[in-house]
Amino acid sequence: MTFRLTFEGGRSFLVDEDAQIHFLRQAIRRRHDVTRVRGGHVVTLPGGRMVALIAEAA
């Protein structure tokens, strides 16, 4: 399964499930807010910037 990692500025990347898990674990470990949304997660970074991690349609 692949996920689209999208930064608030508009840049986005496709990542695999291992990278998605790693990113979310790092966000939780660093105590960033992680919000579950339909199909993925949104992480709030310092300064209020957001990163979306959403599953790609097959």
Side-chain angles (χ1 to χ4, degrees):
M1 183 172 226
T2 59
F3 295 83
R4 181 160 303 273
L5 178 67
T6 305
F7 292 89
E8 191 173 321
R11 292 186 57 113
S12 67
F13 305 92
L14 285 179
V15 297
D16 64 10
E17 193 168 358
D18 291 336
Q20 181 253 6
I21 291 168
H22 177 76
F23 181 81
L24 289 175
R25 283 184 180 162
Q26 287 295 315
I28 292 166
R29 186 177 70 81
R30 295 176 184 189
R31 298 189 177 160
H32 299 312
D33 289 333
V34 177
T35 305
R36 179 94 170 111
V37 296
R38 184 183 309 209
H41 295 84
V42 173
V43 177
T44 305
L45 300 174
R49 293 175 299 178
M50 296 181 155
V51 177
L53 194 55
I54 308 295
E56 280 285 295

mmCIF file of all heavy atoms in Angstrom, residues 20-53:
data_model
loop_
_atom_site.group_PDB
_atom_site.id
_atom_site.type_symbol
_atom_site.label_atom_id
_atom_site.label_comp_id
_atom_site.label_asym_id
_atom_site.label_seq_id
_atom_site.Cartn_x
_atom_site.Cartn_y
_atom_site.Cartn_z
ATOM 1 N N GLN A 20 5.461 5.269 6.130
ATOM 2 C CA GLN A 20 4.301 5.855 6.791
ATOM 3 C C GLN A 20 4.325 5.545 8.288
ATOM 4 O O GLN A 20 4.133 6.422 9.123
ATOM 5 C CB GLN A 20 3.011 5.321 6.140
ATOM 6 C CG GLN A 20 1.753 5.884 6.734
ATOM 7 C CD GLN A 20 0.989 4.885 7.592
ATOM 8 O OE1 GLN A 20 1.423 3.781 7.859
ATOM 9 N NE2 GLN A 20 -0.152 5.304 8.052
ATOM 10 N N ILE A 21 4.592 4.296 8.627
ATOM 11 C CA ILE A 21 4.655 3.893 10.033
ATOM 12 C C ILE A 21 5.783 4.621 10.747
ATOM 13 O O ILE A 21 5.615 5.127 11.860
ATOM 14 C CB ILE A 21 4.815 2.360 10.141
ATOM 15 C CG1 ILE A 21 3.524 1.672 9.687
ATOM 16 C CG2 ILE A 21 5.183 1.944 11.561
ATOM 17 C CD1 ILE A 21 3.662 0.183 9.482
ATOM 18 N N HIS A 22 6.933 4.714 10.094
ATOM 19 C CA HIS A 22 8.091 5.402 10.684
ATOM 20 C C HIS A 22 7.761 6.880 10.940
ATOM 21 O O HIS A 22 8.043 7.414 12.018
ATOM 22 C CB HIS A 22 9.305 5.272 9.767
ATOM 23 C CG HIS A 22 10.502 6.000 10.258
ATOM 24 N ND1 HIS A 22 11.269 5.523 11.296
ATOM 25 C CD2 HIS A 22 11.048 7.173 9.878
ATOM 26 C CE1 HIS A 22 12.254 6.383 11.526
ATOM 27 N NE2 HIS A 22 12.135 7.390 10.682
ATOM 28 N N PHE A 23 7.154 7.550 9.950
ATOM 29 C CA PHE A 23 6.804 8.962 10.085
ATOM 30 C C PHE A 23 5.843 9.180 11.256
ATOM 31 O O PHE A 23 6.037 10.085 12.070
ATOM 32 C CB PHE A 23 6.183 9.471 8.784
ATOM 33 C CG PHE A 23 5.813 10.924 8.828
ATOM 34 C CD1 PHE A 23 6.771 11.902 8.623
ATOM 35 C CD2 PHE A 23 4.511 11.317 9.082
ATOM 36 C CE1 PHE A 23 6.437 13.245 8.669
ATOM 37 C CE2 PHE A 23 4.160 12.653 9.135
ATOM 38 C CZ PHE A 23 5.132 13.618 8.921
ATOM 39 N N LEU A 24 4.817 8.330 11.353
ATOM 40 C CA LEU A 24 3.849 8.492 12.442
ATOM 41 C C LEU A 24 4.471 8.213 13.802
ATOM 42 O O LEU A 24 4.193 8.919 14.777
ATOM 43 C CB LEU A 24 2.635 7.586 12.213
ATOM 44 C CG LEU A 24 1.712 8.004 11.075
ATOM 45 C CD1 LEU A 24 0.632 6.959 10.868
ATOM 46 C CD2 LEU A 24 1.110 9.368 11.330
ATOM 47 N N ARG A 25 5.318 7.202 13.885
ATOM 48 C CA ARG A 25 5.992 6.916 15.165
ATOM 49 C C ARG A 25 6.874 8.076 15.590
ATOM 50 O O ARG A 25 6.921 8.436 16.770
ATOM 51 C CB ARG A 25 6.816 5.633 15.053
ATOM 52 C CG ARG A 25 5.971 4.398 15.104
ATOM 53 C CD ARG A 25 6.822 3.157 15.087
ATOM 54 N NE ARG A 25 5.965 1.966 15.140
ATOM 55 C CZ ARG A 25 6.360 0.774 14.800
ATOM 56 N NH1 ARG A 25 7.600 0.566 14.376
ATOM 57 N NH2 ARG A 25 5.529 -0.246 14.875
ATOM 58 N N GLN A 26 7.591 8.668 14.633
ATOM 59 C CA GLN A 26 8.439 9.817 14.949
ATOM 60 C C GLN A 26 7.589 11.004 15.414
ATOM 61 O O GLN A 26 7.953 11.705 16.353
ATOM 62 C CB GLN A 26 9.281 10.215 13.736
ATOM 63 C CG GLN A 26 10.401 9.258 13.427
ATOM 64 C CD GLN A 26 11.424 9.218 14.529
ATOM 65 O OE1 GLN A 26 11.841 10.251 15.058
ATOM 66 N NE2 GLN A 26 11.833 8.020 14.905
ATOM 67 N N ALA A 27 6.467 11.230 14.762
ATOM 68 C CA ALA A 27 5.587 12.337 15.152
ATOM 69 C C ALA A 27 5.065 12.142 16.573
ATOM 70 O O ALA A 27 5.045 13.086 17.374
ATOM 71 C CB ALA A 27 4.422 12.444 14.167
ATOM 72 N N ILE A 28 4.659 10.929 16.890
ATOM 73 C CA ILE A 28 4.159 10.637 18.233
ATOM 74 C C ILE A 28 5.279 10.756 19.262
ATOM 75 O O ILE A 28 5.095 11.340 20.330
ATOM 76 C CB ILE A 28 3.499 9.245 18.262
ATOM 77 C CG1 ILE A 28 2.211 9.270 17.441
ATOM 78 C CG2 ILE A 28 3.223 8.801 19.699
ATOM 79 C CD1 ILE A 28 1.644 7.909 17.124
ATOM 80 N N ARG A 29 6.455 10.229 18.932
ATOM 81 C CA ARG A 29 7.591 10.299 19.849
ATOM 82 C C ARG A 29 7.981 11.747 20.145
ATOM 83 O O ARG A 29 8.344 12.097 21.264
ATOM 84 C CB ARG A 29 8.789 9.543 19.264
ATOM 85 C CG ARG A 29 9.967 9.439 20.208
ATOM 86 C CD ARG A 29 11.103 8.635 19.618
ATOM 87 N NE ARG A 29 11.779 9.309 18.537
ATOM 88 C CZ ARG A 29 12.716 10.250 18.682
ATOM 89 N NH1 ARG A 29 13.068 10.639 19.881
ATOM 90 N NH2 ARG A 29 13.276 10.800 17.648
ATOM 91 N N ARG A 30 7.870 12.612 19.130
ATOM 92 C CA ARG A 30 8.215 14.023 19.304
ATOM 93 C C ARG A 30 7.053 14.851 19.845
ATOM 94 O O ARG A 30 7.133 16.071 19.947
ATOM 95 C CB ARG A 30 8.695 14.596 17.968
ATOM 96 C CG ARG A 30 9.980 13.962 17.519
ATOM 97 C CD ARG A 30 10.396 14.452 16.177
ATOM 98 N NE ARG A 30 11.595 13.728 15.745
ATOM 99 C CZ ARG A 30 12.310 14.036 14.704
ATOM 100 N NH1 ARG A 30 11.971 15.076 13.964
ATOM 101 N NH2 ARG A 30 13.368 13.334 14.392
ATOM 102 N N ARG A 31 5.950 14.166 20.158
ATOM 103 C CA ARG A 31 4.762 14.771 20.770
ATOM 104 C C ARG A 31 4.077 15.811 19.895
ATOM 105 O O ARG A 31 3.543 16.805 20.386
ATOM 106 C CB ARG A 31 5.093 15.338 22.141
ATOM 107 C CG ARG A 31 5.549 14.243 23.062
ATOM 108 C CD ARG A 31 5.684 14.680 24.460
ATOM 109 N NE ARG A 31 6.064 13.503 25.245
ATOM 110 C CZ ARG A 31 6.614 13.565 26.411
ATOM 111 N NH1 ARG A 31 6.840 14.718 26.969
ATOM 112 N NH2 ARG A 31 6.921 12.462 27.047
ATOM 113 N N HIS A 32 4.085 15.569 18.569
ATOM 114 C CA HIS A 32 3.295 16.398 17.656
ATOM 115 C C HIS A 32 1.858 15.875 17.701
ATOM 116 O O HIS A 32 1.630 14.696 17.941
ATOM 117 C CB HIS A 32 3.828 16.309 16.228
ATOM 118 C CG HIS A 32 5.245 16.777 16.067
ATOM 119 N ND1 HIS A 32 5.711 17.963 16.591
ATOM 120 C CD2 HIS A 32 6.303 16.215 15.441
ATOM 121 C CE1 HIS A 32 6.976 18.110 16.291
ATOM 122 N NE2 HIS A 32 7.369 17.055 15.593
ATOM 123 N N ASP A 33 0.909 16.751 17.462
ATOM 124 C CA ASP A 33 -0.492 16.324 17.413
ATOM 125 C C ASP A 33 -0.712 15.484 16.161
ATOM 126 O O ASP A 33 -0.355 15.904 15.062
ATOM 127 C CB ASP A 33 -1.436 17.526 17.380
ATOM 128 C CG ASP A 33 -1.470 18.263 18.704
ATOM 129 O OD1 ASP A 33 -1.211 17.621 19.735
ATOM 130 O OD2 ASP A 33 -1.763 19.467 18.704
ATOM 131 N N VAL A 34 -1.291 14.300 16.344
ATOM 132 C CA VAL A 34 -1.627 13.416 15.233
ATOM 133 C C VAL A 34 -3.136 13.197 15.264
ATOM 134 O O VAL A 34 -3.681 12.744 16.255
ATOM 135 C CB VAL A 34 -0.888 12.058 15.343
ATOM 136 C CG1 VAL A 34 -1.298 11.133 14.214
ATOM 137 C CG2 VAL A 34 0.624 12.269 15.345
ATOM 138 N N THR A 35 -3.805 13.557 14.156
ATOM 139 C CA THR A 35 -5.253 13.450 14.057
ATOM 140 C C THR A 35 -5.613 12.424 12.991
ATOM 141 O O THR A 35 -5.114 12.501 11.873
ATOM 142 C CB THR A 35 -5.871 14.810 13.676
ATOM 143 O OG1 THR A 35 -5.444 15.783 14.626
ATOM 144 C CG2 THR A 35 -7.386 14.742 13.658
ATOM 145 N N ARG A 36 -6.458 11.489 13.353
ATOM 146 C CA ARG A 36 -6.934 10.480 12.398
ATOM 147 C C ARG A 36 -7.998 11.110 11.514
ATOM 148 O O ARG A 36 -8.921 11.764 12.013
ATOM 149 C CB ARG A 36 -7.520 9.298 13.167
ATOM 150 C CG ARG A 36 -8.057 8.218 12.289
ATOM 151 C CD ARG A 36 -6.997 7.165 12.056
ATOM 152 N NE ARG A 36 -7.598 6.010 11.395
ATOM 153 C CZ ARG A 36 -7.328 5.686 10.135
ATOM 154 N NH1 ARG A 36 -6.485 6.384 9.442
ATOM 155 N NH2 ARG A 36 -7.884 4.636 9.595
ATOM 156 N N VAL A 37 -7.850 10.964 10.217
ATOM 157 C CA VAL A 37 -8.840 11.430 9.247
ATOM 158 C C VAL A 37 -9.173 10.275 8.313
ATOM 159 O O VAL A 37 -8.484 9.256 8.309
ATOM 160 C CB VAL A 37 -8.338 12.650 8.437
ATOM 161 C CG1 VAL A 37 -8.107 13.841 9.338
ATOM 162 C CG2 VAL A 37 -7.083 12.305 7.670
ATOM 163 N N ARG A 38 -10.209 10.430 7.524
ATOM 164 C CA ARG A 38 -10.596 9.356 6.604
ATOM 165 C C ARG A 38 -9.431 9.039 5.662
ATOM 166 O O ARG A 38 -8.975 9.893 4.910
ATOM 167 C CB ARG A 38 -11.802 9.777 5.784
ATOM 168 C CG ARG A 38 -12.308 8.678 4.879
ATOM 169 C CD ARG A 38 -13.447 9.141 4.047
ATOM 170 N NE ARG A 38 -14.460 9.774 4.888
ATOM 171 C CZ ARG A 38 -15.737 9.788 4.597
ATOM 172 N NH1 ARG A 38 -16.170 9.244 3.499
ATOM 173 N NH2 ARG A 38 -16.589 10.374 5.404
ATOM 174 N N GLY A 39 -8.949 7.818 5.730
ATOM 175 C CA GLY A 39 -7.890 7.373 4.829
ATOM 176 C C GLY A 39 -6.477 7.660 5.300
ATOM 177 O O GLY A 39 -5.528 7.349 4.595
ATOM 178 N N GLY A 40 -6.301 8.260 6.468
ATOM 179 C CA GLY A 40 -4.938 8.534 6.906
ATOM 180 C C GLY A 40 -4.852 9.355 8.174
ATOM 181 O O GLY A 40 -5.683 9.227 9.075
ATOM 182 N N HIS A 41 -3.844 10.228 8.216
ATOM 183 C CA HIS A 41 -3.575 11.046 9.394
ATOM 184 C C HIS A 41 -3.135 12.443 8.968
ATOM 185 O O HIS A 41 -2.592 12.624 7.882
ATOM 186 C CB HIS A 41 -2.437 10.435 10.227
ATOM 187 C CG HIS A 41 -2.774 9.114 10.801
ATOM 188 N ND1 HIS A 41 -2.642 7.939 10.094
ATOM 189 C CD2 HIS A 41 -3.254 8.762 12.019
ATOM 190 C CE1 HIS A 41 -3.018 6.931 10.856
ATOM 191 N NE2 HIS A 41 -3.393 7.396 12.022
ATOM 192 N N VAL A 42 -3.333 13.405 9.861
ATOM 193 C CA VAL A 42 -2.791 14.750 9.705
ATOM 194 C C VAL A 42 -1.939 15.016 10.936
ATOM 195 O O VAL A 42 -2.372 14.800 12.060
ATOM 196 C CB VAL A 42 -3.903 15.813 9.578
ATOM 197 C CG1 VAL A 42 -3.309 17.214 9.591
ATOM 198 C CG2 VAL A 42 -4.708 15.584 8.320
ATOM 199 N N VAL A 43 -0.705 15.464 10.698
ATOM 200 C CA VAL A 43 0.234 15.764 11.781
ATOM 201 C C VAL A 43 0.432 17.273 11.830
ATOM 202 O O VAL A 43 0.697 17.900 10.800
ATOM 203 C CB VAL A 43 1.598 15.060 11.546
ATOM 204 C CG1 VAL A 43 2.588 15.430 12.635
ATOM 205 C CG2 VAL A 43 1.407 13.552 11.470
ATOM 206 N N THR A 44 0.275 17.849 13.024
ATOM 207 C CA THR A 44 0.509 19.277 13.217
ATOM 208 C C THR A 44 1.925 19.458 13.749
ATOM 209 O O THR A 44 2.268 18.955 14.816
ATOM 210 C CB THR A 44 -0.503 19.884 14.197
ATOM 211 O OG1 THR A 44 -1.823 19.590 13.727
ATOM 212 C CG2 THR A 44 -0.320 21.386 14.301
ATOM 213 N N LEU A 45 2.741 20.168 12.974
ATOM 214 C CA LEU A 45 4.146 20.398 13.329
ATOM 215 C C LEU A 45 4.273 21.686 14.137
ATOM 216 O O LEU A 45 3.326 22.476 14.205
ATOM 217 C CB LEU A 45 4.975 20.503 12.045
ATOM 218 C CG LEU A 45 4.953 19.267 11.150
ATOM 219 C CD1 LEU A 45 5.695 19.557 9.851
ATOM 220 C CD2 LEU A 45 5.557 18.071 11.858
ATOM 221 N N PRO A 46 5.451 21.924 14.726
ATOM 222 C CA PRO A 46 5.655 23.184 15.448
ATOM 223 C C PRO A 46 5.355 24.380 14.542
ATOM 224 O O PRO A 46 5.622 24.346 13.337
ATOM 225 C CB PRO A 46 7.137 23.138 15.819
ATOM 226 C CG PRO A 46 7.472 21.690 15.848
ATOM 227 C CD PRO A 46 6.625 21.062 14.785
ATOM 228 N N GLY A 47 4.780 25.402 15.100
ATOM 229 C CA GLY A 47 4.422 26.578 14.326
ATOM 230 C C GLY A 47 3.060 26.454 13.663
ATOM 231 O O GLY A 47 2.639 27.337 12.932
ATOM 232 N N GLY A 48 2.370 25.319 13.893
ATOM 233 C CA GLY A 48 1.035 25.144 13.353
ATOM 234 C C GLY A 48 0.978 24.608 11.940
ATOM 235 O O GLY A 48 -0.097 24.445 11.373
ATOM 236 N N ARG A 49 2.131 24.346 11.325
ATOM 237 C CA ARG A 49 2.112 23.782 9.972
ATOM 238 C C ARG A 49 1.596 22.352 10.007
ATOM 239 O O ARG A 49 1.778 21.648 10.994
ATOM 240 C CB ARG A 49 3.507 23.823 9.364
ATOM 241 C CG ARG A 49 3.969 25.259 9.116
ATOM 242 C CD ARG A 49 5.351 25.302 8.631
ATOM 243 N NE ARG A 49 6.184 24.702 9.701
ATOM 244 C CZ ARG A 49 7.471 24.532 9.634
ATOM 245 N NH1 ARG A 49 8.116 24.868 8.572
ATOM 246 N NH2 ARG A 49 8.132 24.004 10.633
ATOM 247 N N MET A 50 0.980 21.933 8.908
ATOM 248 C CA MET A 50 0.377 20.606 8.868
ATOM 249 C C MET A 50 0.947 19.756 7.751
ATOM 250 O O MET A 50 1.359 20.270 6.718
ATOM 251 C CB MET A 50 -1.133 20.702 8.688
ATOM 252 C CG MET A 50 -1.815 21.367 9.836
ATOM 253 S SD MET A 50 -3.563 21.413 9.542
ATOM 254 C CE MET A 50 -4.131 21.509 11.208
ATOM 255 N N VAL A 51 0.959 18.437 7.996
ATOM 256 C CA VAL A 51 1.381 17.447 7.017
ATOM 257 C C VAL A 51 0.287 16.385 6.976
ATOM 258 O O VAL A 51 -0.145 15.887 8.017
ATOM 259 C CB VAL A 51 2.720 16.792 7.408
ATOM 260 C CG1 VAL A 51 3.103 15.714 6.427
ATOM 261 C CG2 VAL A 51 3.815 17.820 7.539
ATOM 262 N N ALA A 52 -0.184 16.059 5.777
ATOM 263 C CA ALA A 52 -1.199 15.002 5.618
ATOM 264 C C ALA A 52 -0.541 13.749 5.094
ATOM 265 O O ALA A 52 0.342 13.792 4.245
ATOM 266 C CB ALA A 52 -2.280 15.458 4.653
ATOM 267 N N LEU A 53 -0.970 12.618 5.609
ATOM 268 C CA LEU A 53 -0.470 11.301 5.187
ATOM 269 C C LEU A 53 -1.700 10.465 4.891
ATOM 270 O O LEU A 53 -2.342 9.931 5.794
ATOM 271 C CB LEU A 53 0.367 10.703 6.312
ATOM 272 C CG LEU A 53 1.237 9.520 6.007
ATOM 273 C CD1 LEU A 53 2.176 9.807 4.852
ATOM 274 C CD2 LEU A 53 2.047 9.140 7.219
#
